[in-house]
Amino acid sequence: MSKLPDCSKCGSTYTYEDREMYVCPECAHEWSQNESNIAEEILIIKDSYGNLLQDGDSISVIKDLKVKGSSSVVKVGTKVKNIRLAQGEHDIDCKIDGIGAMKLKSGFVKKI
């Protein structure tokens, strides 16, 4: 059985084929098989409020985050400028003043 792509609109894994189209039963989004190849190349990362993040955006931390291997804490409201998106569980690469280079999860930030 071939692996069908997840829905590009809602992320559902229950997509199915209907002739030349893929269909999502949860949000009724339809897209062609050619579009799915393009969508897989684009990295889509959203913040905790559902806003799309892009390279160079500014974000704010919404929860105190302990820095692994250190006694430092990234406080709520810390602003981070010029982020870079990456693949993986920690999908934001950034540099935080006073702490240095870090990787953050998009679920703990909001776009400014």
Side-chain angles (χ1 to χ4, degrees):
M1 187 170 157
S2 66
K3 169 74 172 113
L4 297 176
D6 295 343
C7 177
S8 59
K9 191 170 183 181
C10 71
S12 172
T13 58
Y14 301 111
T15 56
Y16 62 91
E17 285 182 278
D18 185 20
R19 296 187 182 127
E20 299 287 325
M21 304 289 283
Y22 290 125
V23 181
C24 174
E26 293 184 4
C27 70
H29 177 63
E30 296 182 3
W31 68 100
S32 71
Q33 293 178 0
N34 294 336
E35 288 178 34
S36 67
N37 294 336
I38 295 168
E40 289 175 3
E41 295 174 9
I42 298 172
L43 188 60
I44 298 173
I45 297 177
K46 296 182 180 183
D47 69 357
S48 59
Y49 295 100
N51 299 318
L52 286 175
L53 295 174
Q54 298 177 351
D55 287 341
D57 280 346
S58 295
I59 57 172
S60 176
V61 178
I62 63 167
K63 179 182 177 184
D64 282 348
L65 302 172
K66 294 180 184 177
V67 179
K68 193 172 188 177
S70 171
S71 62
S72 301
V73 175
V74 179
K75 297 284 188 179
V76 172
T78 301
K79 293 180 173 74
V80 181
K81 297 178 183 177
N82 199 18
I83 64 169
R84 290 176 307 282
L85 302 179
Q87 290 185 344
E89 188 176 344
H90 292 81
D91 46 13
I92 298 173
D93 288 331
C94 62
K95 193 172 193 180
I96 299 177
D97 294 337
I99 296 176
M102 286 194 69
K103 289 184 170 263
L104 300 174
K105 291 184 180 181
S106 58
F108 298 117
V109 301
K110 69 177 179 177
K111 186 175 181 178
I112 299 178

